[in-house]
Amino acid sequence: MIAALRKVRTFAGGHSGWIGLALLAAVILIVVLAPLFGLPDPVRNNLRGRFVPPSFNFLDLTRYPLGGDHLGRDLFSRIVYGGRVSLAIGALAVGLGGVIGVIVGLFAGFYKGWVDRVLMRLVDVQLSIPLMLLALLVVAALGPSLQNLIIVLALTSWVRYARVVRGQVLAVREREFVQSAYAIGVGNLRIIFVHILPNVLTPVLVIATLELARVIILEAGMSFLGLGVQPPWPSWGRMLAEGRNYMGTYPEVSVFPGLALFITALAVNLSGDWLRDRLDPKLR
C-alpha cells in the first residue's frame, strides 16, 4: 500500500504540469465554446426550475445537469458563462498590470538614480497597503463596474512585475550587446524596448501565469462582497454569495461554483509551475 501511494505521489508530482495544462485547456474550451452548446439563458428566471436537483445528464444540457438556483436559473449555464466573465477579467487585468509593471521596471532599472528611487518608493507604498483593502477603496470610490474592476485588479498586480523586471534590467544593461548599442549612438528608448525588453520577458510570462490565478480568486472575493461583477451577469463569487443562505438545504448552489473556481485556480497554478520549471534554467 505504501509503495502504491509513493508511486501515485511520484506520478502526480512529475505530471502535475501536464495535468494543470489539460485542466486549463478544458476550462478554456468549455467557456469559449459555450454559445455552441445550446445552454439555457444564464440570466433568465424560471421559477418552475427553482432548486431543481442535479440530473448530471451532460448529454442534454437543457435539463439542468447541475440543478437550478433560487430563481430557477440553470447552474451549469451560469457557471460556464461566469467562467467566461472571470477568465476575461483576469486576463485583461493581468495584461494591464503586466504592461504597467514592465514599463516601471524597465525605466527604474535602466535609468537608476532618482528615477529608480521614486518608482521603487511607489512600489513600497503599494506593497504596504493590503490588496483587498485597496481594491475595496478604489471600487467604493469609482463605483462597481467591469471597467473599474479590471483597473482595480491591475493596480494590485503590477508591483511584482516591476520588482522582477527591475532586477533583470540591472543585470542585462551591463552586458556587451547593450554597451555596444550605447557605443554606436542608439537612443535610450530603442535600447530599452528593442535590446533589453526581449531579454527580460521570460520571468514576466511566468509571473503573468501565476498572477492569473490570484486575480481570478480576488475577483471572486470582490464579487462575493457585491463590489465585483453586478447582477444579472453571472460570476462565481456572486453565485457563492447567492447560495450561502441555502447551504443547509441546497448545497449544490454554492458547491458547484466553488468547485469551478477551485479547479480553475488549481489548473492555472499548476500550469504556471510547469512554465517556470521549463523556462528557468536554474530549475532544470
Side-chain angles (χ1 to χ4, degrees), residues 161-197:
Y161 297 96
R163 280 196 160 185
V164 172
V165 170
R166 171 185 175 272
Q168 295 288 320
V169 172
L170 288 174
V172 172
R173 72 187 302 274
E174 304 299 331
R175 295 177 63 178
E176 292 79 5
F177 65 91
V178 175
Q179 298 302 318
S180 299
Y182 269 126
I184 62 177
V186 177
N188 288 341
L189 290 181
R190 182 174 177 83
I191 292 176
I192 291 174
F193 291 104
V194 175
H195 297 275
I196 295 180
L197 178 59

Side-chain angles (χ1 to χ4, degrees), residues 6-7 24 59 62-63 66 70 73 80 87 93 97-98 118 125 135 138 184 208 219 223-225 264 279 282:
R6 287 178 178 174
K7 289 182 179 180
L24 184 59
L59 298 179
T62 63
R63 294 184 178 276
L66 296 182
H70 62 295
R73 297 170 296 192
V80 171
L87 288 177
V118 170
V125 170
V138 175
I184 62 177
E219 179 274 323
S223 296
F224 183 88
L225 297 175
T264 303
L279 296 181
K282 296 179 182 179

Side-chain angles (χ1 to χ4, degrees), residues 90-268:
L92 291 173
V94 168
L96 180 59
V99 170
I100 297 173
V102 168
I103 291 176
V104 170
L106 285 172
F107 280 87
F110 183 81
Y111 287 105
K112 299 194 294 186
W114 68 268
V115 176
D116 183 29
R117 290 193 294 271
V118 170
L119 294 177
M120 287 301 103
R121 294 300 78 76
L122 290 176
V123 171
D124 293 337
V125 170
Q126 171 80 50
L127 291 174
S128 67
I129 304 175
L131 297 182
M132 182 59 77
L133 177 60
L134 175 64
L136 293 176
L137 289 175
V138 175
V139 171
L142 300 179
S145 68
L146 288 180
Q147 294 84 352
N148 293 340
L149 181 60
I150 293 172
I151 293 173
V152 167
L153 295 175
L155 290 176
T156 66
S157 63
W158 68 273
V159 290
R160 292 187 64 186
Y161 297 96
R163 280 196 160 185
V164 172
V165 170
R166 171 185 175 272
Q168 295 288 320
V169 172
L170 288 174
V172 172
R173 72 187 302 274
E174 304 299 331
R175 295 177 63 178
E176 292 79 5
F177 65 91
V178 175
Q179 298 302 318
S180 299
Y182 269 126
I184 62 177
V186 177
N188 288 341
L189 290 181
R190 182 174 177 83
I191 292 176
I192 291 174
F193 291 104
V194 175
H195 297 275
I196 295 180
L197 178 59
N199 290 278
V200 301
L201 284 180
T202 296
V204 171
L205 295 176
V206 176
I207 294 174
T209 306
L210 297 175
E211 278 290 295
L212 180 59
R214 187 191 65 83
V215 169
I216 290 175
I217 294 175
L218 183 58
E219 179 274 323
M222 295 185 64
S223 296
F224 183 88
L225 297 175
L227 295 175
V229 178
Q230 298 299 299
W233 294 104
S235 167
W236 290 337
R238 169 67 62 176
M239 295 175 70
L240 288 171
E242 293 173 346
R244 60 183 170 178
N245 295 326
Y246 310 102
M247 282 296 296
T249 51
Y250 303 101
E252 67 274 7
V253 178
S254 289
V255 169
F256 289 133
L259 188 61
L261 177 62
F262 166 75
I263 291 174
T264 303
L266 177 64
V268 174

